[in-house]
Amino acid sequence: MQSHVRVSFESPDYTTHVVATGTLSLLEAVRIHVQTTGCKIKYYQAGSSEMYGSTPPPQNEDTPFHPRSPYVTSKVVSHWYTVNCREAYGIFSCNGILFNHESPRRGENFVTRKITRAVGQIKTRLQNKLFLGNLKASRDWGFSGDYVEAMWLMLQQDEPDDYVVATDENHTVEEFLEEMRQCISDPHCVEIMCRNEKEHLKIDYVT
């Protein structure tokens, strides 16, 4: 599994092998099984809103992709492999282009989980600094449970298609931090070190 944009710049060949070639291998296995046995299989491909890259919003199923990393480029390849499988072989294969979806299972190298983990560590005095990048960066964050339901619904349709799943709301990392401030009652001060800015922020988590 390799689903991190930054890591893909460090290991582009591994990322491509896992994400793009991995998808092709799965689709080939599905195609061969369907053609050999006549069994009906429905295939779901997990796409990413990052595939839009520098294409300005609003974005929908018809918006052109402009990937900006090895990971996202591999996701675009996977997307078109899935479309090709559907159109060339008649396989029920659909793409879900998902914006950020979060849950407690999110990896700790992602900013949302990094922040929530730090809050717990800070509250128990195991940590007193949190290093972040651009606090003004914004994302469309949704709940993973809702997105999984959307994936299931895609597979219940009569015909396969491609779908964008999003909340249609953008929130900044700074807003996310404020939500965390509201979740705890602790007089401990948390230092936020911004790697991309010269300023040194200190946020007081007193509520």
Side-chain angles (χ1 to χ4, degrees), residues 55-97:
T55 304
Q59 297 148 346
N60 57 38
E61 288 82 356
D62 298 320
T63 302
F65 299 133
H66 191 165
R68 302 298 296 273
S69 73
Y71 168 69
V72 182
T73 301
S74 297
K75 276 292 188 183
V76 172
V77 172
S78 296
H79 176 94
W80 290 114
Y81 276 150
T82 302
V83 172
N84 182 70
C85 185
R86 179 171 72 223
E87 295 178 348
Y89 305 113
I91 304 295
F92 191 112
S93 54
C94 59
N95 287 290
I97 304 170

Side-chain angles (χ1 to χ4, degrees), residues 145-162:
D146 296 334
Y147 284 58
V148 170
E149 182 179 5
M151 298 175 203
W152 179 81
L153 288 171
M154 292 177 206
L155 297 174
Q156 310 315 305
Q157 304 308 303
D158 293 332
E159 298 294 332
D161 208 340
D162 306 320

Side-chain angles (χ1 to χ4, degrees), residues 11-128:
S11 303
D13 53 344
Y14 172 72
T15 299
T16 301
H17 180 72
V18 171
V19 179
T21 307
T23 297
L24 180 60
S25 296
L26 286 171
L27 287 168
E28 272 294 273
V30 170
R31 179 185 68 81
I32 292 170
H33 185 72
V34 169
Q35 292 180 344
T36 302
T37 67
C39 179
K40 292 185 177 180
I41 294 177
K42 294 183 176 182
Y43 178 90
Y44 170 78
Q45 167 61 26
S48 168
S49 61
E50 294 288 340
M51 296 191 302
Y52 293 122
S54 60
T55 304
Q59 297 148 346
N60 57 38
E61 288 82 356
D62 298 320
T63 302
F65 299 133
H66 191 165
R68 302 298 296 273
S69 73
Y71 168 69
V72 182
T73 301
S74 297
K75 276 292 188 183
V76 172
V77 172
S78 296
H79 176 94
W80 290 114
Y81 276 150
T82 302
V83 172
N84 182 70
C85 185
R86 179 171 72 223
E87 295 178 348
Y89 305 113
I91 304 295
F92 191 112
S93 54
C94 59
N95 287 290
I97 304 170
L98 276 52
F99 280 72
N100 295 62
H101 41 291
E102 310 295 327
S103 84
R105 295 177 180 269
R106 176 64 111 172
E108 293 178 1
N109 55 339
F110 289 87
V111 68
T112 48
R113 189 68 184 94
K114 181 178 181 179
I115 292 171
T116 55
R117 182 177 185 275
V119 167
Q121 295 281 80
I122 289 161
K123 190 173 179 64
T124 55
R125 303 296 192 272
L126 297 175
Q127 180 177 337
N128 62 10

